[in-house]
Amino acid sequence: MQLFNVAKEFFTGFLQAIGKQWWVEITTAEPRCTYYFGPFARSKEAHTARPGYIEDLQGEGARGIQVQVRQ
């Protein structure tokens, strides 16, 4: 498992270096903020992670949440 994590970190770092990583961008109306979560190696990974970030922000009382996955 540790080898997998090292390989994943290397791959993600490579994608970040060439500008091909994926990010979850979340904007909230209250408080008025923009959050970025990532980087992710694949769009699917970013989409899978979205619900957890939304749940955390809702738990903190954020309202007017808008989510986009961007490369």
Side-chain angles (χ1 to χ4, degrees), residues 18-31:
I18 62 171
K20 296 295 182 183
Q21 69 279 3
W22 292 87
W23 296 86
V24 177
E25 178 189 77
I26 300 179
T27 57
T28 57
E30 291 182 32

Side-chain angles (χ1 to χ4, degrees), residues 8-71:
K8 183 177 177 183
E9 288 290 323
F10 175 79
F11 184 62
T12 303
F14 172 74
L15 292 174
Q16 189 171 8
I18 62 171
K20 296 295 182 183
Q21 69 279 3
W22 292 87
W23 296 86
V24 177
E25 178 189 77
I26 300 179
T27 57
T28 57
E30 291 182 32
R32 188 175 180 96
C33 289
T34 301
Y35 303 88
Y36 292 93
F37 300 97
F40 298 94
R42 294 175 182 80
S43 171
K44 183 177 180 180
E45 292 175 7
H47 279 88
T48 300
R50 290 180 329 167
Y53 299 131
I54 294 167
E55 183 179 325
D56 288 347
L57 290 170
Q58 287 173 332
E60 294 177 12
R63 291 193 278 174
I65 297 172
Q66 301 290 318
V67 183
Q68 292 188 321
V69 173
R70 297 182 178 269
Q71 187 175 34

